[in-house]
């Protein structure tokens, strides 16, 4: 096979005939590595039959839609993120930091599907069969007549195993270790990752076998070759969480068969990952009382309202340029809110260091968090605590106005279930709001940020 040398970006897969310091596609620095590359024409000549469906073009009006019978994992949080279960023939990529629980959730997923009557093939390319068995025993997965394990890294051999066993699900752990013998580049290179993932995806579509692929992350914290793999697979799941925290958040970055806004919350224990049925209660369990800068907000993740604590710390800067830091909240959005507090409320924050943290390791992207973050900063600056039984929701505009948010009834009901007595919300959200008669939470609508801070007693 004729090959040539190219330079590939390890972040996005962009290829160049010469080395570049900065990738022109993803703009990452020092990400190009040298590897052997075989042209697509050369690779295609060596392809084996992948049992691809042979279909003729049809009119769209003649296409009959049928409801897919999804494979239920028995893990409610995982099924929620997948969109109700695993679609046959779909390819799912799961990524995350080392040790965060990718292999653990995969083994638990395999066990649950096996108990439901499905046949599963677990390809452990990084570990021996014995090591995988030991992990399974720690998770309480010791027996099973329909769960097969194999230690293999050659793609051709793996495909032969799949053809022989005809499983309902194949788990590949991990794609960076799998290699195609037709390529001369090393396992884990962009060419190998791209070609192996594409071959597995074509095989899944042709045989209607679901494939679960585990992907490593780079030192920058992104999936190796993310743009390459994201276009190939149907669903991209990503594990989030602090390294020293027991809680894990599984988020769908891409999903062709469901919403990309859903999250699953797990707790890592001695028996593996356990589902967290009430994330709000967990995130608020260690909230301090009578401390300035602590505010509870209501954010929406897909169809699930979650209450989390926002903490802010404001202190005099020791340098000429004040620091701004945000964990779990967008830094640019924080800068905007600080500017609104300075211009519209009159707070002198230009010489203050400001730190904002969303407790629990969750990342907040919902605009409804604006009011809570602004109130936390104002509370920390004034040194006045916010009442512990108050929850805030609302988007803050540049003029200091409070804009309405979506699904306010779900947020209010979640706050009431957790015992909150007051809810400060946008004035426009009261229009058409149909609360149950048993509602006990007091709604306090506001039109501006100044009104909200006055109600909280921190202006």
């Amino acid at each position: 096979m004729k090959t040539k040398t190219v330079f590939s970006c390890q972040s996005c897969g962009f290829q160049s005939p010469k080395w570049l310091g900065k990738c022109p596609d993803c703009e990452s620095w020092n990400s190009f590595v040298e590897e052997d590359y075989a042209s697509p024409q050369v690779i295609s000549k060596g392809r084996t039959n992948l049992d691809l469906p042979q279909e003729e073009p049809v009119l769209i009006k003649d296409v009959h839609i049928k409801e897919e019978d999804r494979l239920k994992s028995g893990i409610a949080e995982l099924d929620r993120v997948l969109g109700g279960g695993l679609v046959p023939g779909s390819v799912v990529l799961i990524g995350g930091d080392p040790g965060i629980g990718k292999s653990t959730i995969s083994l638990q997923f395999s066990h649950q599907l096996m108990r439901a009557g499905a046949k599963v093939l677990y390809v452990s390319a990084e570990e021996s069969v014995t090591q995988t068995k030991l992990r399974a025993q720690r998770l309480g997965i010791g027996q099973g007549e329909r769960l097969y394990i194999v230690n293999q890294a050659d793609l051709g051999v793996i495909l032969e195993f799949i053809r022989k066993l005809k499983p309902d699900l194949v788990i590949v752990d991990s794609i960076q270790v799998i290699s195609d013998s037709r390529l001369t580049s090393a396992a884990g290179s962009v060419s190998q990752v791209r070609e192996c993932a594409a071959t597995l995806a074509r095989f899944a579509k042709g045989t209607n076998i679901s494939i679960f692929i585990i992907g490593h992350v780079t030192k920058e914290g992104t999936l190796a070759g993310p743009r390459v793999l994201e276009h190939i697979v149907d669903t991209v799941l990503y594990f989030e969480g602090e390294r020293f925290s027991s809680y894990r958040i599984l988020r769908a970055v891409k999903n062709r068969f469901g919403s990309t806004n859903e999250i699953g919350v797990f707790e890592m224990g001695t028996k593996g990952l356990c589902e967290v049925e009430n994330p709000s209660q967990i995130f608020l369990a260690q909230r301090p009382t009578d401390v300035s800068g602590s505010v509870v907000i209501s954010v929406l993740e897909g169809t699930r309202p979650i209450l989390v604590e926002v903490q802010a710390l404001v202190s005099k800067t020791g340098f000429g340029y004040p620091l701004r830091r945000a964990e779990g909240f967008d830094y640019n959005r924080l800068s905007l809110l600080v500017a609104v507090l300075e211009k519209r409320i009159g707070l002198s924050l230009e010489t203050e260091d400001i730190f904002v943290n969303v407790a629990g390791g969750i990342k907040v992207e919902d605009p409804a968090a604006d009011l809570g973050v602004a109130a936390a900063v104002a509370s920390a600056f004034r040194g006045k605590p916010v009442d512990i039984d108050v929850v805030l929701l609302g988007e803050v505009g540049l003029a200091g106005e409070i804009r309405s948010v979506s699904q306010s009834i779900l947020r209010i009901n979640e706050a009431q279930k957790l015992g909150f007595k007051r809810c400060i919300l946008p004035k426009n959200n009261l229009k058409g709001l149909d609360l149950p008669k048993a509602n006990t939470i007091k709604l306090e609508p506001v039109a501006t940020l100044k009104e909200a801070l006055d109600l909280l007693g921190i202006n």
Side-chain angles (χ1 to χ4, degrees):
M1 181 184 298
K2 295 182 179 179
T3 61
K4 62 180 181 179
T5 299
V6 296
F7 293 88
S8 300
C9 175
Q10 294 297 289
S11 296
C12 67
F14 181 85
Q15 291 185 328
S16 170
K18 62 180 181 178
W19 185 87
L20 300 174
K22 181 181 180 181
C23 178
D25 191 9
C26 66
E27 298 185 351
S28 59
W29 289 90
N30 299 324
S31 60
F32 279 87
V33 295
E34 183 179 0
E35 62 180 36
D36 293 331
Y37 169 76
S39 66
Q41 292 83 2
V42 174
I43 295 177
S44 61
K45 292 179 181 179
R47 290 197 192 280
T48 57
N49 180 24
L50 297 178
D51 299 326
L52 296 179
Q54 302 295 327
E55 297 182 355
E56 297 292 332
V58 296
L59 292 172
I60 190 170
K61 66 182 182 67
D62 297 330
V63 177
H64 298 285
I65 301 176
K66 63 179 181 179
E67 187 69 23
E68 295 285 354
D69 294 327
R70 295 176 181 257
L71 297 173
K72 297 289 185 179
S73 68
I75 305 175
E77 293 295 308
L78 179 58
D79 287 338
R80 175 199 295 270
V81 179
L82 289 173
L86 188 62
V87 176
S90 63
V91 182
V92 179
L93 172 67
I94 179 170
D97 296 330
I100 203 168
K102 302 184 296 297
S103 299
T104 299
I105 194 68
S106 300
L107 267 177
Q108 292 180 267
F109 187 35
S110 303
H111 178 65
Q112 293 294 338
L113 289 181
M114 177 201 67
R115 294 179 59 184
K119 184 187 294 186
V120 182
L121 173 61
Y122 191 98
V123 181
S124 179
E126 296 184 348
E127 297 179 337
S128 66
V129 173
T130 304
Q131 290 173 316
T132 306
K133 171 69 174 180
L134 289 174
R135 179 189 290 115
Q137 287 181 338
R138 290 196 301 269
L139 300 176
I141 307 172
Q143 305 297 328
E145 297 295 331
R146 301 177 66 84
L147 176 56
Y148 297 85
I149 304 175
V150 64
N151 173 241
Q152 183 57 248
D154 186 273
L155 180 63
V157 178
I158 293 172
L159 294 179
E160 289 301 322
F161 286 148
I162 298 175
R163 290 191 183 96
K164 180 181 178 181
L165 293 175
K166 295 182 174 58
D168 299 294
L169 171 68
V170 178
I171 295 180
V172 179
D173 185 6
S174 67
I175 190 64
Q176 274 80 13
V177 185
I178 305 299
S179 62
D180 191 336
S181 58
R182 295 168 298 170
L183 299 178
T184 58
S185 56
S189 63
V190 174
S191 298
Q192 285 283 8
V193 170
R194 180 198 297 114
E195 185 62 25
C196 291
T199 301
L200 289 171
R202 289 192 297 269
F203 190 87
K205 304 303 178 186
T207 59
N208 208 35
I209 295 175
S210 301
I211 297 181
F212 212 75
I213 298 176
I214 295 178
H216 290 317
V217 296
T218 63
K219 60 183 179 180
E220 288 80 16
T222 59
L223 282 170
R227 298 184 184 179
V228 176
L229 297 181
E230 284 180 2
H231 289 301
I232 293 173
V233 302
D234 299 309
T235 304
V236 179
L237 306 181
Y238 194 80
F239 258 121
E240 301 173 356
E242 298 294 334
R243 180 180 178 184
F244 300 104
S245 173
S246 60
Y247 297 105
R248 306 285 188 266
I249 297 173
L250 184 64
R251 187 185 301 273
V253 180
K254 169 189 176 182
N255 193 352
R256 289 174 177 164
F257 307 109
S259 172
T260 57
N261 297 319
E262 298 289 355
I263 67 168
V265 184
F266 299 88
E267 181 179 6
M268 180 65 79
T270 56
K271 294 294 184 180
L273 291 166
C274 303
E275 301 175 67
V276 176
E277 297 180 358
N278 193 337
S280 300
Q281 193 170 11
I282 296 296
F283 293 140
L284 298 178
Q286 303 180 49
R287 184 192 176 197
T289 58
D290 292 329
V291 177
S292 62
S294 176
V295 173
V296 175
I297 61 175
S298 178
V299 296
L300 205 64
E301 293 287 352
T303 58
R304 167 187 284 179
I306 298 179
L307 270 62
V308 295
E309 178 194 3
V310 173
Q311 297 177 332
L313 179 64
V314 178
S315 62
K316 284 290 182 181
T317 181
F319 303 95
Y321 186 79
L323 296 177
R324 303 283 190 267
R325 295 290 186 269
E327 289 291 336
F329 190 75
D330 184 60
Y331 170 80
N332 294 324
R333 194 69 183 171
L334 173 62
S335 299
L336 182 149
L337 294 175
V338 170
V340 172
L341 287 171
E342 290 179 336
K343 185 69 175 180
R344 306 300 179 186
I345 307 301
L347 301 185
S348 301
L349 301 173
E350 63 275 2
T351 59
E352 305 287 338
D353 292 336
I354 301 177
F355 305 92
V356 170
N357 175 54
V358 180
I362 190 172
K363 294 181 180 179
V364 174
E365 299 178 354
D366 191 346
D370 287 355
L371 179 56
V373 173
V377 173
S379 170
F381 178 72
R382 298 292 193 190
K384 298 179 180 179
V386 175
D387 291 341
I388 196 171
D389 59 352
V390 178
V391 62
L392 291 85
L393 55 106
E395 180 182 357
V396 178
L398 292 179
E401 79 277 14
I402 305 300
R403 296 177 174 269
S404 59
V405 297
S406 62
Q407 303 292 338
S408 58
I409 186 67
L410 293 178
R411 305 172 193 262
I412 295 172
N413 289 339
E414 180 69 12
Q416 179 175 321
K417 284 191 296 184
L418 292 177
F420 286 85
K421 304 300 182 184
R422 300 167 57 199
C423 177
I424 297 180
L425 73 165
K427 190 174 184 179
N428 288 335
N429 275 117
L430 281 183
K431 299 177 181 178
L433 192 63
D434 187 16
L435 288 174
K437 295 181 179 180
N439 176 59
T440 58
I441 191 170
K442 181 181 178 182
L443 303 182
E444 302 182 17
V446 293
T448 64
L449 179 58
K450 185 178 185 305
E451 290 182 30
L453 298 182
D454 287 337
L455 286 176
L456 293 172
I458 56 177
N459 192 8

